Amino acid sequence: MNPSDAIETLMASGMTERSIAAELNVNQATINRIRRQVVQPTYETGKALVDLAAKVERKNARRNSRVRRSVALPTP
């Protein structure tokens, strides 16, 4: 996953550019420029974006698996 894809993943999970920027301690404009591929992020920012997206994906996967387990299926 590249940093631009990571931002799209984070935004699809409900985060805003502003909240992503706050999490990484960068400006919202920086997140927007990376998302649009106008600039390349520093290694540190790019890695932080990819790591955050992976963390959010894992969290969502765990949440979805718990929801599936909690649904009782009717017995025949």
Side-chain angles (χ1 to χ4, degrees), residues 3-74:
S4 179
D5 291 340
I7 293 170
E8 294 299 335
T9 297
L10 292 167
M11 292 181 74
S13 75
M15 291 183 79
T16 63
E17 287 182 356
R18 183 175 289 172
S19 64
I20 297 166
E23 191 77 28
L24 302 180
N25 200 27
V26 297
N27 291 322
Q28 176 271 328
T30 301
I31 298 299
N32 182 270
R33 289 182 188 119
I34 295 168
R35 183 179 61 82
R36 293 182 294 125
Q37 299 180 351
V38 173
V39 299
Q40 289 291 320
T42 63
Y43 174 81
E44 292 81 11
T45 300
K47 183 173 181 346
L49 280 165
V50 171
D51 291 348
L52 181 60
K55 178 181 170 184
V56 167
E57 284 182 327
R58 283 191 307 271
K59 182 178 179 182
N60 287 341
R62 280 194 307 267
R63 181 179 298 140
N64 289 340
S65 69
R66 274 188 257 150
V67 168
R68 276 187 240 121
R69 278 188 243 145
S70 66
V71 176
L73 298 175

